Each structure stands twice: as structure tokens, then as C-alpha cells.
């Protein structure tokens, strides 16, 4: 287990281009694997998770060639082969849940496995809709058990379209149903009461699929074929969250993020940064395959960080960014309250418990709730030993909190950052002035 020491900083200055968006990289990799022809992807995510998706595509018969920062994927033209070994999804819940929908219509038996943290994450949420479509899915922990989890066995075969109301806001569940619906008999429709990130909709259209949205309802006709594309993956906004929050900590910070994904269904983060006292200037913006890519400049308004209450739909939209928002909460004037975020307890770790443990280690006062945290403002933190719990977002979140602490902070299990962002500590060091 590696330890990374974070020293306090005076300010944050400079520009950075972030690795490709993890969510988009996953989806492009999977659809390219299914498509006909060779897809060429620039700025593919450097994180371990999307590379788990690539490895699964190879195991299913796609040909993957990596050249510098470009990935070429020659797809199977709609017919995955029987893999020789279990499909290893590593640490990636995105891979396991979305892949299940992609492979369920194929006439083979698939076993999906992952690391320890993945094998305790809930998978019943995708078994339900895919079973309704006719897939045979066996989970560990008993079929129908709320706690059903990996290893997962899928006995694939022809699927039939369904109308599905998503019970929890989850882009991964939505994607699993859309990927299965793409290959099913009939038109599959899906309704979501809370709008989740729409990368899958854009990706499907980019690869040539027909997809319709009317209000809260999505529909996708089955039996569609996909064609290869050339695309550049936008910079990862969830990775940007750490630097955006770091910029808020210092009155004279000046941060420029180039080629950043600015998808409106992810832009809630930018709204929260602004509400906390950040000034965001969009320097340019373009559209590629339905995704917005822009360059932004970030600094802070005089008077320091305000507070904010995050709940309801906003908690669902910010689920990946909540740990770092919580980590800087003690430095705000009015504090930060996070509720309706129970989903954080079933991520790569129990993120609410780990945020609480590490805030306590740094001397913060807070109240832990079943579905979130209340963290008062105007607190001074001190350096401490941080337990990442082998969770990439916890390791990175408390590296940001450490920048304004008194004394050095040690991040234990710092190697976890490589799951989504191997370059994180190098980039952070290059932007911090001490």
C-alpha cells in the first residue's frame, strides 16, 4: 500500500488537460466492441476502470490496439463470441452493469467477476429489468435477494422489449436496459423520474443507432446494427472536480481546464462550484458526437467560500463529486449539508463512513446521517493519516482537503487513484504553489 504525502499549498495556478472522461470511454469501448468496423478513439481514459471494459471487449472477440493515446477497436459486427474465461470487470461497477445489458442478447453463457470491492456492490438492480426481457441471470447471494452481487452468470439468448420505470436514478441501469433494448425484439422504452447523465444516448446515436426521447421517456427500437466511429473523448469532469474544489480554497487561484467535457447532465457540478463562490468563465465550447467540449477558467470571488445544501435530484447528479465537496466543507463559511445520498454507501466503499472517518482524523466537527453528512463551516483542519479504503475518490478528495490543513497529510492507499486518474498526484503537484 503506497503512502502519498500532501503538503499545504499557498495557491493553485496553471492549466491542465484532463484524461478522457471515464463514463464516455466505457460506453465508446463497449459500443465499438459490438459495432462493425474499426473505431478510433483519441484521449481515451487512462484510468483502470475503462481498461477493464476494453479487456472484456477483447475477451468477447473484438481486436483492441493501443497506440500512444489512441485506441483502435475492431468490433465483432453484432456477434460476440463465447469467452474462454470469466469476464474480469476489475473494480468497475460501470463495466459490470452496462456489459450485462450488452451481452445478455447473445447465445452464450457469460460469468462476470471483479475485485473484492466490486463483489459486494448491488447487482439486483440490473438483474430485474434484464430478466423481464428474458435474460437468465444468476447472482451470488440468491436470485431476487436485494443484496445479490457478483460473481454474476448470464445465460444469454433472444430478448423481448419491455417498458421499464427506473426505481433508482442510475445511468448504469439505464444503459444496461438501452444496450439490451438495442438488440431485442420490439421497441424498449424506459422512464426515469430523475434525469441521469445522458452519455449513453449520445454514444448510441454516434454509432448510428436510432433513439427517441419524449419528456422523461426514452425508447429504442431493437435489431439495430452499429457502425464504427472516430472520436475524441472529452476531458473527465468528475476528475476536474478535485481541481475545481482546490481552486476554491485560495483567494488568488487561477485554473484553466482545457478540452473539458461539459455535458449539461453533468454540469450540476459547475453550478455548485459557482454557488460556493467560484467564478467560471467559459473560454470556448464545441460539440462532438453530441458531447460538449470546452475550455474553462476558474478562480474565486472575494470573501471566501460560501456554504450549500445538497439534496434530492442534485445529490443523484453529483454522486461521484460529493466526497470532494464534503472534504472542503469545513473551509466554507456556512458549511455544507449533503442528504439523499444513501447511494454513497454502496459505491467502491461506504463513502459516507470513510469521509466521516477522515474528517474526524483531520479534526473536523460534523454529523453523520444514514443518507449524508452535515459539516459546519469556519473550521481549521490539521494534517493527519488518511485511510483511502482503497477508494480512488476518497484518496483524491482528502488530498484536496490537505492543501489548506496545518501540517502535512499522509494518504494511505494512494495507489487507488489510478482506478480513475493515474496522473492525479503529478497534476496536483504541478498546479500547487507552495
Amino acid at each position: 500500500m503506497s503512502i502519498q504525502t500532501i503538503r499545504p499549498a499557498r495557491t493553485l495556478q496553471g492549466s491542465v488537460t484532463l484524461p478522457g472522461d471515464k463514463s464516455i470511454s466505457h460506453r465508446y469501448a463497449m459500443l465499438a466492441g459490438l459495432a462493425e468496423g474499426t473505431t478510433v478513439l483519441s484521449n481515451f481514459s487512462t484510468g483502470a476502470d475503462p481498461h477493464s471494459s476494453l479487456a472484456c471487449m477483447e475477451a468477447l472477440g473484438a481486436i483492441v490496439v493501443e497506440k500512444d493515446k489512441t485506441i483502435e477497436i475492431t468490433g465483432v459486427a453484432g456477434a460476440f463470441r463465447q469467452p474462454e474465461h470469466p469476464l474480469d470487470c476489475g473494480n468497475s461497477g460501470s463495466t459490470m452493469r452496462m456489459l450485462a445489458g450488452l451481452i445478455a442478447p447473445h447465445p452464450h453463457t457469460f460469468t462476470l467477476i471483479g475485485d473484492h470491492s466490486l463483489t459486494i456492490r448491488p447487482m439486483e438492480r440490473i438483474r430485474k429489468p434484464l430478466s423481464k426481457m428474458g435474460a437468465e441471470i444468476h447472482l451470488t447471494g440468491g436470485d431476487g435477494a436485494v443484496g445479490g452481487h457478483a460473481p454474476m452468470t448470464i445465460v444469454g439468448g433472444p430478448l423481448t422489449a419491455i417498458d421499464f420505470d427506473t426505481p433508482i436514478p442510475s445511468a448504469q441501469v439505464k444503459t444496461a436496459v438501452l444496450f439490451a433494448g438495442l438488440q431485442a425484439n420490439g421497441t424498449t422504452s424506459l422512464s426515469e423520474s430523475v434525469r441521469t447523465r445522458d452519455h449513453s444516448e449520445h454514444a448510441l446515436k454516434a454509432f448510428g443507432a436510432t433513439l427517441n426521447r419524449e419528456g422523461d421517456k426514452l425508447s429504442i427500437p431493437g435489431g439495430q446494427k452499429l457502425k464504427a466511429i472516430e472520436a475524441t473523448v472529452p476531458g473527465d469532469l468528475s476528475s476536474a472536480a478535485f481541481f475545481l474544489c482546490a481552486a476554491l480554497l485560495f483567494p488568488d487561484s487561477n485554473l484553466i481546464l482545457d478540452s473539458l467535457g461539459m455535458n449539461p447532465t453533468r454540469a450540476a457540478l459547475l453550478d455548485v462550484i459557482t454557488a460556493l463562490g467560484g467564478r467560471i468563465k467559459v473560454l470556448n465550447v464545441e460539440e462532438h458526437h453530441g458531447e460538449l467540449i470546452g475550455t474553462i477558467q476558474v478562480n474565486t470571488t472575494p470573501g471566501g467560500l460560501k456554504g450549500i445544501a445538497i439534496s434530492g435530484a442534485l445529490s443523484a447528479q453529483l454522486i461521484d463529486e460529493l466526497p470532494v465537496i464534503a472534504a472542503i466543507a469545513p473551509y466554507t463559511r456556512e458549511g455544507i449539508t449533503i442528504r439523499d445520498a444513501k447511494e454513497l454507501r454502496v459505491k467502491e466503499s461506504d463513502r459516507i463512513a470513510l469521509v466521516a472517518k477522515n474528517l474526524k482524523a483531520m479534526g473536523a466537527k460534523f454529523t453523520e446521517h444514514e443518507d449524508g453528512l452535515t459539516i459546519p463551516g469556519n473550521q481549521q483542519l490539521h494534517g493527519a493519516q488518511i485511510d483511502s479504503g482503497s477508494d480512488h475518490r476518497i484518496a483524491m478528495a482528502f488530498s484536496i482537503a490537505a492543501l489548506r490543513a496545518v501540517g502535512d497529510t499522509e494518504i494511505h492507499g494512494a495507489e487507488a487513484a489510478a482506478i480513475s486518474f493515474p496522473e492525479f498526484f503529478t497534476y496536483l503537484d504541478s498546479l500547487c504553489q507552495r
Side-chain angles (χ1 to χ4, degrees), residues 156-179:
L159 301 186
T160 306
I162 57 167
D163 292 329
F164 183 64
D165 287 339
T166 51
I168 49 169
S170 169
Q172 293 173 4
V173 174
K174 172 174 72 174
T175 301
V177 174
L178 290 176
F179 282 4

Side-chain angles (χ1 to χ4, degrees), residues 21-35 39-44 50 53-54 57 71 73 98 102 179 199-207 226 229-234 288-291 293:
D21 184 279
K22 213 164 68 120
S23 297
I24 297 172
S25 295
H26 276 299
R27 288 156 172 82
Y28 281 179
M30 291 187 196
L31 294 178
L34 182 65
T39 292
V40 181
L41 302 175
S42 305
N43 197 41
F44 192 84
S53 290
L54 283 175
M57 289 302 104
I71 305 248
I73 305 164
M98 297 193 292
L102 195 71
F179 282 4
H199 299 305
S200 296
E201 292 94 306
H202 291 308
L204 282 160
K205 287 178 181 174
F207 280 87
L226 303 180
I229 63 168
E230 288 194 18
T232 298
V233 181
H288 296 271
H289 292 301
E291 295 286 357
I293 303 180

